[in-house]
Amino acid sequence: MTKYGSFPGARPRRLRTSPAMRRMVAETRLHPADFILPAFVREGVSEPVPIAAMPGVVQHTRDSLKKAAVEALEAGVSGIMLFGVPEEAKKDALGTPGTDPDGILQVAIRDVRAEVGDELLVMSDLCLDETTDHGHCGVLDERGRVDNDATLERYAEMAQVQADAGAHVVGPSGMMDGQVGVVRDALDQIGREDVAVLAYTAKYSSAFYGPFREAVASSLKGDRKTYQQDPANVRESLRELALDLEEGADMVMVKPAGPYLDVLARVADAVDVPVAAYQISGEYSMIEAAAEKGWVERERAILETLTGIKRAGAQNILTYWATEVAQKLR
């Protein structure tokens, strides 16, 4: 065997010999500022309510939400994405709690802003599914279909009340055609050019949302396949991306993250705006369940999935492990 050439002269294992060596040559690094914490706040409860399908995650009270926000801030997390869960009796066909200034989400935004000011980005889910009695992300027409343009009118109102409550960033997540442009216009009309829009650009109709439905006490009847994207498609996502950017999106997102790393990579390669990915409830629950049974090493599995999402091109990651991982990284 010759001393030079591809073998045995080339030995990539030299760069894997120790933790110090592997750390030095790592191509992808996680940082606390990469993370955004999704959090649920439930109206009318005096204690946090555990979510059975998501061990370790709760529906917060207003007070416990403020504590969670401070904890995330102290860990170095960049933002908190808020989801409001109104009392069941307040839900209706139009999702009225979503535009009520005293609706639970708007109250929670004010609470968290009062607690953290501008040190932690307060982000709000801009969608109707948590507030409608039918559980869809929009207004239904007389045939029971989601009415795109009637829904946009509701989104415009939601954007304004969320901005008034103090949201730094709004996240229109319903996958209605034209939603980013309508939200941007609505914010600008009230002089809130400072509020950023995180576009849910590629939000797929996924089986992995299951635990989230419990988290927001969803009343969904049927499915969302007529507005969320078909898991078989990627060119469609790039078309949605072009439209969102044209309509004024400040940031774009792919959801779910893990099953759609190829989509995430395509999106990240195509844009010059920040790209986020949402590691959703089912992704979280699978690892927690497998770890509980001893089938995977919990911490390693968490870090591996998050590293994969960042490696694929996400600048920011929404994950229910945000605070925990940020604390360990620090």
Side-chain angles (χ1 to χ4, degrees):
M1 290 186 289
T2 179
K3 181 178 179 181
Y4 303 103
S6 63
F7 182 83
R11 295 187 182 272
R13 287 182 58 192
R14 293 189 187 112
L15 301 182
R16 306 171 195 152
T17 53
S18 69
M21 177 66 80
R22 294 190 294 273
R23 184 170 62 249
M24 185 181 75
V25 302
E27 299 173 27
T28 305
R29 302 180 193 276
L30 295 171
H31 186 277
D34 296 337
F35 302 125
I36 297 164
L37 175 68
F40 309 101
V41 56
R42 180 170 169 179
E43 187 173 25
V45 294
S46 58
E47 297 289 338
V49 179
I51 300 168
M54 300 177 68
V57 180
V58 300
Q59 294 172 326
H60 284 287
T61 66
R62 290 174 59 186
D63 285 340
S64 71
L65 177 66
K66 290 187 286 187
K67 293 176 183 177
V70 170
E71 186 180 24
L73 171 62
E74 292 174 344
V77 170
S78 285
I80 184 168
M81 175 65 81
L82 302 180
F83 297 84
V85 184
E87 293 177 341
E88 194 69 27
K90 294 184 180 180
K91 295 181 181 181
D92 60 23
L94 297 178
T96 299
T99 49
D100 180 354
D102 294 321
I104 183 60
L105 179 55
Q106 287 70 250
V107 170
I109 294 169
R110 290 195 292 270
D111 284 345
V112 176
R113 274 301 301 271
E115 197 74 18
V116 302
D118 294 324
E119 294 185 73
L120 181 73
L121 286 174
V122 179
M123 313 169 85
S124 55
D125 179 58
L126 199 163
C127 197
L128 289 169
D129 58 321
E130 296 98 344
T131 59
T132 54
D133 54 12
H134 47 73
H136 277 287
C137 297
V139 178
L140 303 185
D141 64 17
E142 66 280 357
R143 295 174 57 184
R145 302 171 304 181
V146 175
D147 186 324
N148 192 93
D149 295 0
T151 298
L152 293 181
E153 294 179 16
R154 300 289 294 132
Y155 286 2
E157 294 179 60
M158 292 183 76
Q160 293 177 343
V161 297
Q162 290 179 6
D164 285 342
H168 294 104
V169 181
V170 296
S173 61
M175 290 303 289
M176 296 297 119
D177 294 339
Q179 62 183 13
V180 171
V182 165
V183 166
R184 181 71 271 159
D185 285 347
L187 293 169
D188 293 350
Q189 285 171 16
I190 61 169
R192 297 309 306 272
E193 294 88 354
D194 58 319
V195 176
V197 177
L198 169 60
Y200 282 60
T201 290
K203 183 178 180 182
Y204 284 88
S205 180
S206 173
F208 294 98
Y209 294 131
F212 181 89
R213 305 276 162 81
E214 178 190 345
V216 297
S218 174
S219 306
L220 181 65
K221 301 174 179 66
D223 59 50
R224 298 182 173 133
K225 293 181 180 179
T226 65
Y227 45 102
Q228 293 179 351
Q229 286 184 238
D230 185 341
N233 296 346
V234 62
R235 286 195 300 271
E236 184 179 38
S237 292
L238 299 179
R239 184 184 184 199
E240 294 276 6
L241 174 64
L243 291 168
D244 283 351
L245 293 174
E246 183 181 343
E247 292 172 25
D250 298 291
M251 300 171 276
V252 297
M253 184 159 67
V254 174
K255 180 181 181 181
Y260 297 92
L261 295 181
D262 60 322
V263 179
L264 175 59
R266 293 280 294 274
V267 168
D269 286 345
V271 301
D272 57 4
V273 299
V275 176
Y278 196 147
Q279 185 182 52
I280 66 170
S281 59
E283 298 176 75
Y284 173 93
S285 296
M286 285 193 301
I287 290 177
E288 290 289 351
E292 184 181 3
K293 290 182 174 292
W295 292 345
V296 298
E297 295 180 49
R298 180 180 179 276
E299 186 171 330
R300 285 187 61 194
I302 292 169
L303 291 175
E304 186 174 337
T305 57
L306 293 171
T307 300
I309 294 166
K310 187 171 182 182
R311 188 183 63 242
Q315 183 172 337
N316 296 107
I317 304 171
L318 284 81
T319 176
Y320 299 98
W321 290 303
T323 302
E324 176 187 340
V325 173
Q327 289 170 337
K328 291 176 180 176
L329 291 174
R330 288 169 72 90

